[in-house]
Amino acid sequence: MRYFLLGMAALGLSAQDLDIALNNGRVIDPESGLDGVRSVGVKAGKIAQISNRPLKAKTVIDTTGLVISPGFIDLHSHGQTPENYQYKARDGVTTALEMEIGVFPVAQWYGERKGKALVNYGATVSHPIARMKVLGDTGSWLPRDKAIATIATPEQHAATLENLRIGMREGGLGVGFGIGYVPGCNQQEIMEAFAAAAEFKRPGFVHTRDGRQKMVESLQEVIANSAVTGAPVHVVHIQASSGRFVDTALKMVDNARAHGIDVTMEAYPYTAGQTQIESSIFDPGWQQRLEADYNDLVWVKTGERLTKETFDKYRKIGGSIVTFTNKDEYVDKAIAHPAIMIASDGMIYDGQGHPRGAGTYARILAVYVRDRKVLTLKDAIAKMSLLPAKRLEAYTPAMRNKGRIKIGADADIAVFDAAKVQDKATYTRPNLYSEGIPHVLVNGVFAVRDGRIVEGVLPGQPVLAK
Ligand SMILES: [Zn+2]
């Protein structure tokens, strides 16, 4: 069969039939282990040829000296606007998924993006938002009043679970949990939401319940939920949730995996986080829970460090803050762990936010691969493309054709210069595009060409569960 298909490709696809050829690049495909100079031919949105010789095509790009990698798949991309998709594309990301908090209603969210996205997009059904709708919370994204501390009545709990099922019937990619944002949810409520995910054989993507001093209990809760319901679990930003307890967290996950529990993790390559100041994360006692103080917090709108006075003022208004609460040594340990995927947790609105929204993937390649050698290039690419695809592919057919450079795969491709790739976004200037990623293809269409966003193209497709 294999030889037949290759023969058909040679006979049926004349060179001129290719839409795009990326010639003489260094192709790295973590699944097959390929790391060698090849030319990649693209036709009708798919990878149609991988050749030892240069290919002819309508558009030919010389990629000599550049890496041809599967496009990056961001499992934790809160920013789902045209502005954010441009930052993503310039950072080599071809699929941006909102998995941690998720969305609700699901079909409406996908409908709003259909035909309007630069990169592929998708989301889980949101447990916090499903609960907010039932309890009448007034928050626009994270809960801000009625859904935070309230214990749901049996009827409200049942209605929340039904919302989750509706979202999964509409193609939601699992259940998104922000347990730390809804402390009124007891263990039973969360467990039964996991059970709803298990009904559809889809995972829970989880921000765990509590701060670092309760990291063990918080991680035990979600691993136990996976064990008793059968729903796989993916723990987001483990480096931020565990901090100086990162060794314990990684060991717990290793052991759970060794005992057959389907648990995975992700991390982002920064020592600061970002969240909403009005959220329950900053309810009284946050200094102990986060092991942080006012001066570790930055108000995004002005860039100022907070004091007790400004903290109280801004908490009443509500808005985004960056939290400097981690250390490189803990982040490095998480990034280097074999089961860790890279995901940004990013969002940038009107140029404001955390640099991870624009620079996560270039930063891994520049700082963690090239400068500090925490990762090999191939392992980094796997963590940014193949591993996220494999996390979803059991229940998301589209992901079987992503995260790979192989014939028949979607032509989601990042072309970068390993010597020059660099994140530029900083805490004070998060709105700077990454550099050294000259070409990015999404479904065989240039989203980025010669280092610039291509205007007027919207090749992103929805990623849906089935
Ligand atoms: Zn989170």
Side-chain angles (χ1 to χ4, degrees), residues 16-71:
Q16 292 85 337
D17 284 332
L18 291 173
D19 298 325
I20 298 166
L22 305 172
N23 281 344
N24 297 317
R26 177 184 171 191
V27 173
I28 298 183
D29 176 52
E31 186 175 56
S32 64
L34 173 62
D35 180 353
V37 174
R38 298 285 190 281
S39 296
V40 175
V42 172
K43 183 179 171 62
K46 303 281 183 186
I47 294 174
Q49 272 188 272
I50 301 172
S51 168
N52 284 309
R53 288 174 300 163
L55 296 166
K56 289 183 182 165
K58 290 173 199 142
T59 301
V60 175
I61 305 279
D62 178 16
T63 56
T64 304
L66 303 175
V67 174
I68 298 177
S69 161

Side-chain angles (χ1 to χ4, degrees), residues 76 78 100-101 181 207 236-237 345:
H76 195 152
H78 292 305
E100 181 206 34
I101 300 297
Y181 295 103
H207 175 128
V236 306
H237 52 52
D345 197 1

Side-chain angles (χ1 to χ4, degrees), residues 76 78 100-101 141-142 177-179 181 206-208 236-237 240-241 266 268 274-275 281 345 356:
H76 195 152
H78 292 305
E100 181 206 34
I101 300 297
W141 178 44
L142 295 171
F177 287 95
I179 307 177
Y181 295 103
V206 186
H207 175 128
T208 49
V236 306
H237 52 52
S241 296
E266 66 178 50
Y268 56 79
Q274 182 182 15
T275 191
I281 301 287
D345 197 1
R356 66 194 179 190

Side-chain angles (χ1 to χ4, degrees), residues 12 27 31 62 64 67 78 89 105 109 131 189 240 251-252 261 291 294 297 316 328 340 342 366 397 408 434 458 461:
V27 173
E31 186 175 56
D62 178 16
T64 304
V67 174
H78 292 305
W109 184 88
R131 190 176 204 266
E189 191 175 332
K251 185 113 187 121
M252 286 173 69
I261 297 174
E291 301 187 323
Y294 297 107
L297 311 180
K316 285 201 192 88
D328 274 323
I340 289 267
I342 304 304
S434 294
L458 297 163
Q461 293 291 320

